[in-house]
Each structure stands twice: as C-alpha cells, then as structure tokens.
Amino acid sequence: MNGKSPLLPEQNGAKSAYVLAGVTVLFLLLAAALYNGLWGQPPVKPQIPPVDPVFLETTPWRQTYADLVKAKQDLSDYDCYACHDRNKPPPLRFDDQQRIVVPSEHSNIVMGHGSHDRNNLCFNCHNENNLETLQIRNGSVVKFDNIPPLCGSCHGPTYRDWEAGAHGRTSGFWNHQLGDSVRLSCANCHNPHSPRIPTRQPAPGPHSLHEDAPPHQVKSETTP
Amino acid sequence: MPLPEQLPTTNGDHGMTRRSFLRSTAAFTGLTALAASLSPLRELADYTSVEQFMQKYYKEMTPDEMARVLQRIEGEVQRQYGIRPHVRDYKPMDGVEFVYCLNLTRCIGCRKCVHACVAENNQSRNPEIQYIRVLKLPHGSLDIEKAEHNYDAKQVPEPGFFYMPVQCQQCKNPPCVKVCPVNATWQESDGITVIDYDWCIGCRYCEAACPYWARRFNFTKPEIPKDRLNPNMSYLGNRPRKQGVMEKCHFCLQRTRAGKYPACLEVCPVGARKFGNILDPDSEVSYILRTKRVFIQLKEEMGTSPRFFYYFDK
C-alpha cells in the first residue's frame, strides 16, 4: 500500500479490530498466568523416597533357643542325638595351625570367638557328656534356654552390666510400675560361635536441599 | 500526510474507543493481579483457625480449655490426613528427671535411631526434618570439626571411625529457653525442654542459641505420608507441626511420660542407648553414671549442663 494515500475508515476499522482482539487475548493470557502464579511458584522439590521399613524394625536379628521353643518352631538343630552317639564324646580335629576343623555336618558354623579366634574348643561351652546341654568350666551344667551365666563365666563385667540393664537392648517400660521392661538374652544379638556383631548397611543419610552439593569427606587418622 | 491521531478513532461497529478499551483491560489485569497476590489467603484456613488464634498460653489454660484445644487438633489432623488421632497433653511425672546415656563404644552408626524418631514423631519427610544427626568421627579425637554426618558407606561401622548421634541434649541450663522472646519454649520438671507449637512465632532465636544444632525449623508445610502418620500424639510432642514453627527432640514425651522407652532406644540394634530416671537409684542410667568412668557432656565448657551423657565402657 502506498504510504501517502489516506487510509479508508473501513480499512482502519478492520485493522484496529484485529489489534484489539490480539491485545485482548494477550491480556487474558497474562491474567491467567498471574492468577495461576506462574511467577513466584516455589521451586520443584526433589523427590525423597520413603525410608525402607526394614530400618524401623525393633525385633532382634537372631532367635535364641528359648524364642524357638516359645514360638513352637523347628528345634531339629538342637536334636544332637539324632546323629551323635550317646556316651561317646565327638572327637575334635585341628589343622596344623591349631585351628579347629569344623566338620562338614556343621558347615553353617563359622568359628570366630575370642581375640584371634582362640576360644575354639567346642567343649569350652558344649557339654561333651550331654550334647543337649552346655557346661561352665566350674563343672555346672547350663541349659540352652538360659545361657547368660555361661557367657558371664568369662565376660564378668559385661554380665554384671547386663544384669543391671546397662548392656544390651531393652524395650518396653523404663517405669516398672507401669509395665515390664523386656531384656534380651546374649544370643539374641551375638552369634555364640562368632560373637562380634557383623557390619551392616546404614539407613540413608539426610538428603541435601541442594542436590549438587559436594559430599564432605573426613579422613581417619589410624587408617590410610 | 494525515497523522493517525487525526483519523477517526470511533468505529461505529464496535462501539468502543481505543482508550476505553485499554482502560478496561488494564483495570481487569490489575484486578486479576490483586486477586493473584491475595490468593495465599485461600490457604489461610489450613493453618490458622479463629480458635487457634484466640488460644491462651499453654500454662494459663484450664483443663476444660485444654480439652477443647485437643479436640480442635484432633479435628484438624483428621481433616488433613483422614486419620482420627489420639491427642493427649502428657504432664511430667513427680519424682522423675530423665537422663540419657549413649555408649559410644557400642554405636555402629546405622542411623536406625534417626528414622525411628522421624516415624514416631511425625517429622516432615520432604523437606526432611530429623532430630538426630549421626556424626562420623575419626578414632583418636572428639573434634566436631572433623565430624561428618552425610557419610554414605556400604557397611558400617567403618574401620578407623566411631559414631556419635547428636540430638537435643535437654540441658539443665538451656540457652534456647533464655532467648525465646515469647516463652514458647521452657523446661519442665522432668527435665524435658518443650515447645508450644501454637505459641511459637518462628523467630529462630533458639536455633541460633543452641550449641548442639538440635533445633529444626519448618521452612515449609511439613509433608507426612498418610500411611506413616503416628496417631498417638501429644500436644507438646509429636502432633503435626505447621509451617513457620520450631521443633526438636523431646525425649518422645508421648512415650516416656507414659513410662515407655523412647523410640530411638527401642530400635537401636546394639543397645547403645540407655534412658531412665536419674532420681531412681535402681535405674539403668543411675547404674551407668555410678559405675562407668569416662563421660562426655558435649561442649561441656558452654555451661549448658546437658542431661545427655556419652560414655565409653572398654
């Protein structure tokens, strides 16, 4: 169109109608954006998976003979004379480094009791004359459902602490007038053949608000 | 050349001048912007009711008023989570002063206590609020500067390190209580320093005053999955918090004031945590403080006199 020629009123009206319609749509979009808060929305939070309920478990990780009896579970592991002969103590075998050779029938047992695994003589605790019981070195016989006196015969201070409630897990009531406190037995936490508590996977640590934050490392002074 | 201004601006077909159109659209946009800026008020009902706004100070409430407040909280929780909780106001017991002992020789750093605490006390899951921070420290020092709490090991304990969980130390001389400008936090007769979440103004002075980094602030509305809500609640303890208030460990007062052990103690797989009444000479903590030899009161030099004792026993 020639710029010098005057616009006709009809042409002007049609053009301004388009402009007005465009501006109206623009304003409506702006209003909708303002209403829905496109600006000023909080940043999207990173997803944090809920913690595995395994980490909330309060049950002990081992079951003792007494627990098995109470729960009426399979006690065949404690039926020694199904295989062994009565009146005939089983022989012990050692390798050339004086380590006990665990027979293949008991291959589930991993020996690791005492510093350098030196408490490796089965009959330090098992009773060779009656395999269904245990024995203390002073000659007294202990049943499988009450082992703390046997453990305490060597671990005196720990036994004393356990009796006072200071060693080992407790649950229930601190106030004994309102309810009972439940105390566990040695074998609920310690495997008698290898009493050191095994390492485990830790529960997830705190999630940082800033995902790109570099992990802070500490070094041990005793290990390289 | 005719200028555009000289052209007729009135168009009989539309019946509107350009100026009036612009004026009305500008006014419309302005009103929408105003509505948008006021839209947070739509959520106001979620966190402040008139009853709550008019609520009295905790220590001034009569039992009747307290009962009404507990009912209001039960209603609010039910509206929000669809679960009818059991909210109580647990009072301290006579002749009881709580003490916590933690055996650093035993702790393996598994962080189970952290998550048991979160589950028991209805803490926000996202963003995470955790009362217990497990520090990993190299053997041979107790220098907090060398501690790390973001450790991500495959297996714990790692050789050469020990672990020290830190939570509210329930000080006998609590700096957080001194700085609170509105007395929304105070120490009760059993030694637990509590917070009235309805009285807290969120100034975070207590967070700054605490030398143990034990206080947590709700920067956003706490997010708790409905299926993980603990319905056994207490007014000063684990009822769900709102945005803008402080919270911290209160020795699980909804459990301990009913005679039970705290949640972090029951979940500890190695029995490193011991809790009880120090005024009872036969309690476990009395025995430990009597017979064990090395105790650490964290940042003892601050003069806060914590009721939380770390010890070694071998």
Side-chain angles (χ1 to χ4, degrees):
Chain A
M1 186 192 287
N2 187 348
K4 277 184 181 175
S5 69
L7 286 163
L8 293 169
E10 294 81 35
Q11 285 175 315
N12 180 38
K15 194 184 175 192
S16 66
Y18 288 134
V19 170
L20 288 183
V23 169
T24 310
V25 168
L26 197 72
F27 272 124
L28 281 175
L29 285 175
L30 185 69
L34 280 174
Y35 187 76
N36 289 311
L38 273 195
W39 299 280
Q41 284 284 358
V44 181
K45 286 190 279 188
Q47 285 303 305
I48 300 176
V51 71
D52 190 337
V54 148
F55 294 116
L56 308 177
E57 286 287 333
T58 55
T59 45
W61 67 284
R62 297 189 86 247
Q63 280 191 310
T64 63
Y65 177 79
D67 294 335
L68 293 177
V69 171
K70 211 188 230 172
K72 296 198 171 82
Q73 287 190 5
D74 176 27
L75 291 170
S76 59
D77 272 3
Y78 292 87
D79 187 9
C80 307
Y81 291 112
C83 306
H84 288 281
D85 282 339
R86 275 182 208 274
N87 312 320
K88 195 179 140 203
L92 300 183
R93 283 194 300 277
F94 297 89
D95 65 8
D96 30 332
Q97 271 143 24
Q98 291 304 304
R99 282 189 306 237
I100 189 134
V101 178
V102 180
S104 57
E105 292 83 1
H106 288 303
S107 59
N108 57 334
I109 294 173
V110 178
M111 286 302 293
H113 193 144
S115 57
H116 307 286
D117 306 344
R118 276 180 303 192
N119 181 17
N120 63 359
L121 203 61
C122 304
F123 304 128
N124 280 350
C125 302
H126 290 277
N127 184 355
E128 67 262 53
N129 298 316
N130 180 0
L131 293 175
E132 286 173 347
T133 59
L134 301 160
Q135 62 176 343
I136 303 181
R137 297 320 299 158
N138 66 8
S140 53
V141 171
V142 168
K143 286 193 172 156
F144 269 105
D145 55 5
N146 181 30
I147 59 163
L150 168 64
C151 305
S153 67
C154 289
H155 304 278
T158 311
Y159 185 47
R160 181 200 63 199
D161 283 356
W162 178 80
E163 284 197 305
H167 176 98
R169 296 180 63 172
T170 38
S171 55
F173 288 78
W174 63 265
N175 186 330
H176 303 307
Q177 283 150 11
L178 293 171
D180 287 332
S181 131
V182 181
R183 200 164 28 151
L184 300 176
S185 177
C186 311
N188 276 126
C189 303
H190 302 283
N191 178 347
H193 296 118
S194 179
R196 180 171 286 277
I197 289 183
T199 59
R200 63 176 69 208
Q201 189 202 349
H207 289 84
S208 175
L209 286 174
H210 313 286
E211 278 181 332
D212 49 348
H216 174 62
Q217 290 294 331
V218 285
K219 284 205 180 88
S220 165
E221 283 167 2
T222 51
T223 52
Chain B
M1 188 182 83
L3 292 169
E5 283 87 350
Q6 292 163 333
L7 287 168
T9 50
T10 314
N11 190 318
D13 295 340
H14 295 78
M16 188 189 252
T17 63
R18 184 179 296 175
R19 177 169 295 172
S20 72
F21 169 78
L22 285 175
R23 193 179 285 152
S24 58
T25 44
F28 177 69
T29 314
L31 281 174
T32 336
L34 185 72
S37 70
L38 292 177
S39 69
L41 288 175
R42 284 179 300 179
E43 293 150 27
L44 191 68
D46 285 353
Y47 50 92
T48 308
S49 61
V50 179
E51 296 116 287
Q52 189 193 321
F53 189 74
M54 301 300 288
Q55 188 179 312
K56 271 205 230 163
Y57 185 44
Y58 175 82
K59 293 182 194 172
E60 292 170 355
M61 269 190 265
T62 62
D64 281 354
E65 286 167 333
M66 192 68 212
R68 276 200 295 280
V69 166
L70 296 181
Q71 249 180 356
R72 167 181 70 76
I73 294 168
E74 284 181 355
E76 280 174 6
V77 172
Q78 186 166 28
R79 262 201 306 284
Q80 204 175 339
Y81 297 96
I83 296 162
R84 186 77 183 172
H86 185 62
V87 189
R88 273 188 60 190
D89 177 33
Y90 292 87
K91 298 285 186 198
M93 296 178 185
D94 284 336
V96 170
E97 184 178 344
F98 290 128
V99 155
Y100 214 119
C101 294
L102 201 151
N103 190 340
L104 293 177
T105 314
R106 297 270 170 259
C107 178
I108 58 170
C110 68
R111 289 205 191 98
K112 280 183 81 173
C113 50
V114 176
H115 295 284
C117 170
V118 168
E120 169 69 28
N121 291 307
N122 294 323
Q123 277 129 272
S124 172
R125 309 301 206 275
N126 192 3
E128 278 182 327
I129 288 194
Q130 298 175 343
Y131 295 165
I132 305 174
R133 191 192 312 262
V134 185
L135 303 180
K136 175 175 124 179
L137 285 150
H139 275 165
S141 87
L142 227 158
D143 184 359
I144 305 293
E145 299 270 312
K146 290 182 183 159
E148 204 231 319
H149 66 271
N150 286 316
Y151 61 89
D152 186 22
K154 288 264 180 301
Q155 296 280 310
V156 287
E158 295 165 88
F161 293 96
F162 72 99
Y163 301 86
M164 184 159 90
V166 180
Q167 62 205 76
C168 176
Q169 309 277 306
Q170 309 290 359
C171 307
K172 206 158 190 164
N173 184 16
C176 52
V177 168
K178 286 183 208 165
V179 295
C180 181
V182 294
N183 284 350
T185 180
W186 64 90
Q187 191 177 180
E188 302 225 302
S189 65
D190 56 3
I192 301 179
T193 294
V194 294
I195 303 168
D196 182 352
Y197 310 119
D198 287 341
W199 207 252
C200 174
I201 57 171
C203 70
R204 299 172 67 208
Y205 283 17
C206 53
E207 189 185 5
C210 175
Y212 306 106
W213 287 15
R215 288 183 168 250
R216 305 282 183 270
F217 185 66
N218 286 286
F219 278 98
T220 62
K221 194 163 178 280
E223 194 182 295
I224 310 162
K226 281 177 187 164
D227 56 332
R228 300 231 173 172
L229 194 78
N230 174 11
N232 176 25
M233 295 177 187
S234 58
Y235 180 87
L236 294 171
N238 63 343
R239 68 187 166 111
R241 276 70 65 183
K242 53 197 170 166
Q243 184 179 2
V245 298
M246 296 302 305
E247 58 179 295
K248 69 165 187 71
C249 160
H250 42 78
F251 277 178
C252 285
L253 64 83
Q254 68 281 357
R255 295 172 65 97
T256 53
R257 284 185 179 171
K260 290 189 209 155
Y261 285 115
C264 52
L265 183 148
E266 287 209 334
V267 83
C268 180
V270 294
R273 292 170 166 270
K274 295 289 159 191
F275 174 87
N277 178 12
I278 191 65
L279 302 182
D280 172 9
D282 298 327
S283 68
E284 291 145 24
V285 285
S286 294
Y287 171 85
I288 289 167
L289 291 178
R290 214 165 41 233
T291 50
K292 302 295 173 187
R293 283 169 296 184
V294 185
F295 290 96
I296 299 149
Q297 283 179 302
L298 200 56
K299 299 194 185 179
E300 191 182 20
E301 68 280 6
M302 308 290 289
T304 50
S305 189
R307 286 193 182 84
F308 205 103
F309 295 87
Y310 296 95
Y311 69 102
F312 296 93
D313 75 348
K314 242 177 204 169

